[in-house]
Amino acid sequence: MPIPPTMSELIDDLLRRIETGEFQRGSKIPSTQQLSDHYDVSVSTIHRAVATLREQGVLVGRPGRGVFVAESS
């Protein structure tokens, strides 16, 4: 069983997935629960990582709709 990523590794991997086009600009990212399951980390860890990327302008939240990759960053 692989070791869950650190916060830094988690953020770096999310950025990599955006840069490679796996998560395309303007598209909705997977749900918090889906990301939690994928990375084998707690939902609160995903919340903190997403909050960090939102502060950096990489992700944007749309109330009632989800979290999306920013059109440009």
Side-chain angles (χ1 to χ4, degrees), residues 18 21-30 58-60 62 66-71:
I18 292 167
E22 184 176 344
F23 298 155
Q24 297 184 4
R25 300 219 179 266
S27 69
K28 185 175 179 180
I29 66 168
V58 175
L59 298 175
V60 292
R62 297 193 179 136
V67 178
F68 294 77
V69 179
E71 293 288 342

Side-chain angles (χ1 to χ4, degrees), residues 22-71:
E22 184 176 344
F23 298 155
Q24 297 184 4
R25 300 219 179 266
S27 69
K28 185 175 179 180
I29 66 168
S31 72
T32 302
Q33 187 61 57
Q34 289 171 318
L35 290 172
S36 173
D37 292 344
H38 176 81
Y39 289 106
D40 193 26
V41 297
S42 70
V43 168
S44 64
T45 299
I46 297 297
H47 280 295
R48 289 195 321 268
V50 168
T52 299
L53 292 174
R54 287 177 66 178
E55 288 170 10
Q56 295 174 1
V58 175
L59 298 175
V60 292
R62 297 193 179 136
R65 295 187 58 210
V67 178
F68 294 77
V69 179
E71 293 288 342

